[in-house]
Amino acid sequence: MDLVAEEQATRNLAPQDRTTEPLTEYVHRAGRRVRAFDRRHPLVWDLHVTGFWVTAALIDYLGGGWRNVTRNPDTPGWLLLTLSLALSLPLLQRRAHPRSVLLMMAPFALVNAWTGAALQASMLQMLVVFHLALRRPPRTLWWTTALILTIDTVTTLRHPQESPDHRIVPMLMSIIVAAAIGITVRTRRNYTEALEDRARRLEIERDQQARLAAAAERARIAREMHDIIGHNLSVITSLADGGRYAATKAPERAAEALNAISTTSRQALTELRRLLDVLRDETKAPAPELTPQPTLTDLDHLIAGVRSAGLPVHTTVHGTPTLPPGRQLTVYRVIQEALTNTLKHAGPGATSHITLSYEDQGAVTVTATDTGRGGEPDGTAGRGLPGMRERTALYGGTLEAGPRQPPDRGWRVHLHLPEESPQ
């Protein structure tokens, strides 16, 4: 979350939440502002930090504070000024090149130790140690510690005014503290980056899942619309063709065809409206009129509609249906699509035969054949057959669709849904 978003979230908190820890929240917010400014203007921050320590080093030199700890009060002023600047100015590059900065400061720190000036500016090396621990591999700290302790040992040996442990141990502790702070900040930063990366990946995964769910829903809606509209339009087309033929020879049959067309079209329009109502914005639209999905009890009505369109349909049923609603819908849609394809592609004079075999544990076999022209239907590349295969795959079933074996003519659709797996 960026700074603007965090501040917006803070403003949206309830009053009691904002006053829980005001000082802590203020410190966190100030820290976020400083870090955000540093990311946008790193040179400005480096100039301010370096300027502060250069000023502090010069105050130590000009104010004479260095005389309180020096081993050699007679150190020339020009040398003190040179050492003060040489031990503070390189800090400008401490973040980008901490190793180079430490090596640049090392000769002047050695001169500081050899002459006994003992300027406090030499402690600025701890700031470089912090950045080494923050940005470089941990093994870098070994030679860094050895280098600084070696320079400090020179002071102890060159100007032995106190026992060596009084000089070496505090310096070693200073190095350890600076390195520990750097490692702690580095660990926290890595942890935060890992959390942010994980949040980004989860957000991407969430968006991908949403897109996949939307695609699956679009496919489901397209499949339902194909099954509803495609079948009814095929029936209407067949009725219209039959009515046109009967108009010249049997006007009363033409009137029956028109009535069937009217009934079928109204049914199709009603089902389409129900489907579209579900897709409307629920916050702006009234609750849609819902209706149960078709089941095996609706097969008689489906077959009657196809027969009224002029396609003779014969059915054979073995066993008693004991299927759950999902499997019933799959069987219904497969039979509906098979009859639709027969109406569209079988040609005049064709008949259809449907055989249903119900077995135990929810297994079922459906075979739909016709005596039409056979061959690949024009709609093979559309949604019909792929939709049937998708429905079948949901229950681990198999679907075969293709021309019948000679000498038989026509098309055959064979569906088998296996037994339901135990829960």
Side-chain angles (χ1 to χ4, degrees), residues 158-402:
R158 175 78 173 164
H159 305 279
Q161 297 181 2
E162 54 190 9
S163 61
D165 59 314
H166 288 174
R167 179 75 184 181
I168 301 299
V169 173
M171 181 59 70
L172 179 60
M173 294 302 298
S174 299
I175 296 173
I176 292 175
V177 171
I181 295 175
I183 293 173
T184 301
V185 174
R186 179 177 187 168
T187 302
R188 179 174 176 80
R189 178 179 296 177
N190 292 341
Y191 177 71
T192 303
E193 291 176 353
L195 289 180
E196 292 175 351
D197 179 69
R198 183 170 181 267
R200 283 193 297 270
R201 288 188 284 107
L202 288 176
E203 185 176 357
I204 294 173
E205 182 179 353
R206 180 200 63 192
D207 294 340
Q208 291 176 342
Q209 292 294 337
R211 286 194 292 269
L212 290 175
E217 185 65 11
R218 285 195 298 269
R220 186 190 69 81
I221 293 172
R223 189 167 57 239
E224 291 294 330
M225 293 187 69
H226 173 274
D227 292 340
I228 294 172
I229 305 303
H231 171 75
N232 286 290
L233 288 180
S234 297
V235 172
I236 291 172
T237 302
S238 298
L239 289 171
D241 292 340
R244 182 179 58 185
Y245 176 78
T248 58
K249 297 185 178 181
E252 67 280 359
R253 297 293 302 274
E256 294 177 1
L258 291 175
N259 290 332
I261 289 174
S262 176
T263 302
T264 304
S265 60
R266 286 192 177 95
Q267 291 176 351
L269 184 59
T270 301
E271 294 184 14
L272 179 60
R273 283 174 175 170
R274 288 196 183 103
L275 183 60
L276 295 179
D277 285 343
V278 175
L279 302 179
R280 296 174 63 184
D281 188 354
E282 295 181 357
T283 61
K284 300 180 181 179
E289 180 184 356
L290 303 179
T291 184
Q293 291 278 27
T295 62
L296 295 179
T297 57
D298 299 305
L299 278 178
D300 292 339
H301 180 71
L302 172 69
I303 294 173
V306 175
R307 286 171 178 163
S308 66
L311 175 65
V313 181
H314 307 282
T315 59
T316 303
V317 180
H318 302 286
T320 304
T322 57
L323 303 179
R327 291 179 171 239
Q328 292 190 42
L329 178 61
T330 298
V331 172
Y332 179 92
R333 292 303 189 196
V334 168
I335 294 176
Q336 182 185 52
E337 181 63 25
L339 292 176
T340 301
N341 287 338
T342 299
L343 281 172
K344 292 167 62 177
H345 308 293
T351 60
S352 177
H353 189 182
I354 298 175
T355 302
L356 294 94
S357 299
Y358 300 107
E359 305 170 19
D360 295 334
Q361 304 298 326
V364 61
T365 301
V366 178
T367 302
T369 58
D370 62 56
T371 59
R373 290 190 295 260
E376 297 291 335
D378 298 336
T380 301
R383 299 183 181 273
L385 294 180
M388 287 194 290
R389 292 192 173 96
E390 289 174 5
R391 293 182 184 276
T392 304
L394 291 176
Y395 299 97
T398 58
L399 180 76
E400 301 174 1

Side-chain angles (χ1 to χ4, degrees), residues 60-117:
D60 183 54
Y61 156 63
L62 296 174
W66 63 279
R67 294 182 181 276
N68 297 326
V69 294
T70 185
R71 308 296 179 87
N72 182 12
D74 299 327
T75 306
W78 65 267
L79 181 59
L80 294 173
L81 178 60
T82 302
L83 293 176
S84 298
L85 296 176
L87 292 172
S88 57
L89 282 176
L91 293 178
L92 185 63
Q93 295 294 321
R94 72 194 185 284
R95 293 199 289 186
H97 308 287
R99 288 181 297 185
S100 301
V101 170
L102 186 64
L103 293 175
M104 187 184 304
M105 297 170 66
F108 298 97
L110 181 60
V111 173
N112 182 53
W114 182 267
T115 60

